[in-house]
PDB file of all heavy atoms in Angstrom:
ATOM      1  N   GLY A 702     -63.993 -67.486  68.901  1.00  0.00           N
ATOM      2  CA  GLY A 702     -64.677 -67.342  67.626  1.00  0.00           C
ATOM      3  C   GLY A 702     -65.544 -68.538  67.294  1.00  0.00           C
ATOM      4  O   GLY A 702     -65.205 -69.680  67.625  1.00  0.00           O
ATOM      5  N   LEU A 703     -66.702 -68.291  66.641  1.00  0.00           N
ATOM      6  CA  LEU A 703     -67.627 -69.360  66.291  1.00  0.00           C
ATOM      7  C   LEU A 703     -67.280 -69.949  64.935  1.00  0.00           C
ATOM      8  O   LEU A 703     -66.882 -69.241  64.013  1.00  0.00           O
ATOM      9  CB  LEU A 703     -69.061 -68.837  66.265  1.00  0.00           C
ATOM     10  CG  LEU A 703     -69.682 -68.462  67.616  1.00  0.00           C
ATOM     11  CD1 LEU A 703     -71.060 -67.892  67.404  1.00  0.00           C
ATOM     12  CD2 LEU A 703     -69.742 -69.677  68.522  1.00  0.00           C
ATOM     13  N   HIS A 704     -67.491 -71.258  64.797  1.00  0.00           N
ATOM     14  CA  HIS A 704     -67.339 -71.952  63.521  1.00  0.00           C
ATOM     15  C   HIS A 704     -68.524 -72.890  63.354  1.00  0.00           C
ATOM     16  O   HIS A 704     -69.103 -73.355  64.344  1.00  0.00           O
ATOM     17  CB  HIS A 704     -66.033 -72.737  63.476  1.00  0.00           C
ATOM     18  CG  HIS A 704     -64.810 -71.870  63.478  1.00  0.00           C
ATOM     19  ND1 HIS A 704     -64.252 -71.381  62.330  1.00  0.00           N
ATOM     20  CD2 HIS A 704     -64.075 -71.399  64.509  1.00  0.00           C
ATOM     21  CE1 HIS A 704     -63.201 -70.643  62.648  1.00  0.00           C
ATOM     22  NE2 HIS A 704     -63.057 -70.633  63.967  1.00  0.00           N
ATOM     23  N   ALA A 705     -68.891 -73.149  62.108  1.00  0.00           N
ATOM     24  CA  ALA A 705     -70.037 -74.028  61.844  1.00  0.00           C
ATOM     25  C   ALA A 705     -69.772 -74.865  60.611  1.00  0.00           C
ATOM     26  O   ALA A 705     -68.998 -74.496  59.726  1.00  0.00           O
ATOM     27  CB  ALA A 705     -71.305 -73.197  61.648  1.00  0.00           C
ATOM     28  N   ASP A 706     -70.419 -76.063  60.570  1.00  0.00           N
ATOM     29  CA  ASP A 706     -70.279 -76.953  59.423  1.00  0.00           C
ATOM     30  C   ASP A 706     -71.507 -77.850  59.401  1.00  0.00           C
ATOM     31  O   ASP A 706     -72.242 -77.951  60.391  1.00  0.00           O
ATOM     32  CB  ASP A 706     -69.004 -77.786  59.544  1.00  0.00           C
ATOM     33  CG  ASP A 706     -68.542 -78.299  58.185  1.00  0.00           C
ATOM     34  OD1 ASP A 706     -69.355 -78.259  57.237  1.00  0.00           O
ATOM     35  OD2 ASP A 706     -67.398 -78.730  58.070  1.00  0.00           O
ATOM     36  N   PHE A 707     -71.740 -78.505  58.267  1.00  0.00           N
ATOM     37  CA  PHE A 707     -72.905 -79.374  58.160  1.00  0.00           C
ATOM     38  C   PHE A 707     -72.583 -80.799  58.600  1.00  0.00           C
ATOM     39  O   PHE A 707     -73.453 -81.657  58.616  1.00  0.00           O
ATOM     40  CB  PHE A 707     -73.447 -79.382  56.730  1.00  0.00           C
ATOM     41  CG  PHE A 707     -72.533 -80.056  55.747  1.00  0.00           C
ATOM     42  CD1 PHE A 707     -72.770 -81.349  55.334  1.00  0.00           C
ATOM     43  CD2 PHE A 707     -71.434 -79.392  55.239  1.00  0.00           C
ATOM     44  CE1 PHE A 707     -71.931 -81.963  54.439  1.00  0.00           C
ATOM     45  CE2 PHE A 707     -70.599 -79.996  54.340  1.00  0.00           C
ATOM     46  CZ  PHE A 707     -70.843 -81.293  53.937  1.00  0.00           C
ATOM     47  N   THR A 708     -71.307 -81.097  58.954  1.00  0.00           N
ATOM     48  CA  THR A 708     -70.936 -82.401  59.501  1.00  0.00           C
ATOM     49  C   THR A 708     -70.168 -82.184  60.797  1.00  0.00           C
ATOM     50  O   THR A 708     -69.576 -81.128  61.018  1.00  0.00           O
ATOM     51  CB  THR A 708     -70.062 -83.203  58.523  1.00  0.00           C
ATOM     52  OG1 THR A 708     -68.899 -82.416  58.204  1.00  0.00           O
ATOM     53  CG2 THR A 708     -70.823 -83.528  57.256  1.00  0.00           C
ATOM     54  N   GLN A 709     -70.156 -83.201  61.646  1.00  0.00           N
ATOM     55  CA  GLN A 709     -69.449 -83.097  62.918  1.00  0.00           C
ATOM     56  C   GLN A 709     -67.977 -83.406  62.689  1.00  0.00           C
ATOM     57  O   GLN A 709     -67.564 -84.557  62.662  1.00  0.00           O
ATOM     58  CB  GLN A 709     -70.030 -84.050  63.955  1.00  0.00           C
ATOM     59  CG  GLN A 709     -69.406 -83.873  65.342  1.00  0.00           C
ATOM     60  CD  GLN A 709     -69.980 -84.839  66.344  1.00  0.00           C
ATOM     61  OE1 GLN A 709     -70.657 -85.779  65.970  1.00  0.00           O
ATOM     62  NE2 GLN A 709     -69.704 -84.621  67.615  1.00  0.00           N
ATOM     63  N   THR A 710     -67.167 -82.374  62.523  1.00  0.00           N
ATOM     64  CA  THR A 710     -65.742 -82.547  62.265  1.00  0.00           C
ATOM     65  C   THR A 710     -64.912 -82.440  63.523  1.00  0.00           C
ATOM     66  O   THR A 710     -63.721 -82.744  63.485  1.00  0.00           O
ATOM     67  CB  THR A 710     -65.264 -81.492  61.256  1.00  0.00           C
ATOM     68  OG1 THR A 710     -65.546 -80.196  61.781  1.00  0.00           O
ATOM     69  CG2 THR A 710     -65.959 -81.669  59.923  1.00  0.00           C
ATOM     70  N   ARG A 711     -65.505 -81.969  64.632  1.00  0.00           N
ATOM     71  CA  ARG A 711     -64.775 -81.840  65.898  1.00  0.00           C
ATOM     72  C   ARG A 711     -65.613 -82.450  67.028  1.00  0.00           C
ATOM     73  O   ARG A 711     -66.837 -82.346  67.036  1.00  0.00           O
ATOM     74  CB  ARG A 711     -64.486 -80.366  66.209  1.00  0.00           C
ATOM     75  CG  ARG A 711     -63.548 -79.716  65.213  1.00  0.00           C
ATOM     76  CD  ARG A 711     -63.401 -78.237  65.503  1.00  0.00           C
ATOM     77  NE  ARG A 711     -62.756 -78.006  66.786  1.00  0.00           N
ATOM     78  CZ  ARG A 711     -61.445 -77.843  66.952  1.00  0.00           C
ATOM     79  NH1 ARG A 711     -60.660 -77.876  65.889  1.00  0.00           N
ATOM     80  NH2 ARG A 711     -60.931 -77.624  68.134  1.00  0.00           N
ATOM     81  N   PRO A 712     -64.957 -83.113  67.995  1.00  0.00           N
ATOM     82  CA  PRO A 712     -65.732 -83.789  69.056  1.00  0.00           C
ATOM     83  C   PRO A 712     -66.468 -82.818  69.957  1.00  0.00           C
ATOM     84  O   PRO A 712     -67.475 -83.174  70.567  1.00  0.00           O
ATOM     85  CB  PRO A 712     -64.656 -84.571  69.820  1.00  0.00           C
ATOM     86  CG  PRO A 712     -63.380 -83.874  69.520  1.00  0.00           C
ATOM     87  CD  PRO A 712     -63.511 -83.352  68.130  1.00  0.00           C
ATOM     88  N   GLU A 713     -65.982 -81.559  70.089  1.00  0.00           N
ATOM     89  CA  GLU A 713     -66.648 -80.620  70.994  1.00  0.00           C
ATOM     90  C   GLU A 713     -67.778 -79.853  70.329  1.00  0.00           C
ATOM     91  O   GLU A 713     -68.382 -78.963  70.927  1.00  0.00           O
ATOM     92  CB  GLU A 713     -65.614 -79.622  71.547  1.00  0.00           C
ATOM     93  CG  GLU A 713     -65.043 -78.661  70.510  1.00  0.00           C
ATOM     94  CD  GLU A 713     -63.801 -79.225  69.838  1.00  0.00           C
ATOM     95  OE1 GLU A 713     -63.623 -80.468  69.881  1.00  0.00           O
ATOM     96  OE2 GLU A 713     -63.016 -78.456  69.293  1.00  0.00           O
ATOM     97  N   ALA A 714     -68.075 -80.145  69.054  1.00  0.00           N
ATOM     98  CA  ALA A 714     -69.113 -79.392  68.344  1.00  0.00           C
ATOM     99  C   ALA A 714     -70.499 -79.703  68.919  1.00  0.00           C
ATOM    100  O   ALA A 714     -70.772 -80.831  69.349  1.00  0.00           O
ATOM    101  CB  ALA A 714     -69.082 -79.712  66.865  1.00  0.00           C
ATOM    102  N   SER A 715     -71.389 -78.684  68.906  1.00  0.00           N
ATOM    103  CA  SER A 715     -72.779 -78.837  69.349  1.00  0.00           C
ATOM    104  C   SER A 715     -73.696 -78.761  68.141  1.00  0.00           C
ATOM    105  O   SER A 715     -73.473 -77.980  67.223  1.00  0.00           O
ATOM    106  CB  SER A 715     -73.152 -77.727  70.334  1.00  0.00           C
ATOM    107  OG  SER A 715     -72.331 -77.769  71.480  1.00  0.00           O
ATOM    108  N   VAL A 716     -74.737 -79.598  68.140  1.00  0.00           N
ATOM    109  CA  VAL A 716     -75.656 -79.625  67.017  1.00  0.00           C
ATOM    110  C   VAL A 716     -76.800 -78.634  67.263  1.00  0.00           C
ATOM    111  O   VAL A 716     -77.355 -78.545  68.345  1.00  0.00           O
ATOM    112  CB  VAL A 716     -76.202 -81.053  66.800  1.00  0.00           C
ATOM    113  CG1 VAL A 716     -77.003 -81.521  67.992  1.00  0.00           C
ATOM    114  CG2 VAL A 716     -77.042 -81.110  65.529  1.00  0.00           C
ATOM    115  N   LEU A 717     -77.102 -77.850  66.226  1.00  0.00           N
ATOM    116  CA  LEU A 717     -78.267 -76.961  66.222  1.00  0.00           C
ATOM    117  C   LEU A 717     -79.183 -77.381  65.095  1.00  0.00           C
ATOM    118  O   LEU A 717     -78.727 -77.599  63.977  1.00  0.00           O
ATOM    119  CB  LEU A 717     -77.836 -75.500  66.020  1.00  0.00           C
ATOM    120  CG  LEU A 717     -77.053 -74.841  67.159  1.00  0.00           C
ATOM    121  CD1 LEU A 717     -76.720 -73.424  66.776  1.00  0.00           C
ATOM    122  CD2 LEU A 717     -77.850 -74.864  68.445  1.00  0.00           C
TER     123      LEU A 717
END
Side-chain angles (χ1 to χ4, degrees):
L703 290 177
H704 293 272
D706 202 344
F707 69 100
T708 57
Q709 186 181 13
T710 58
R711 295 175 65 92
E713 68 270 21
S715 299
V716 63
L717 292 180

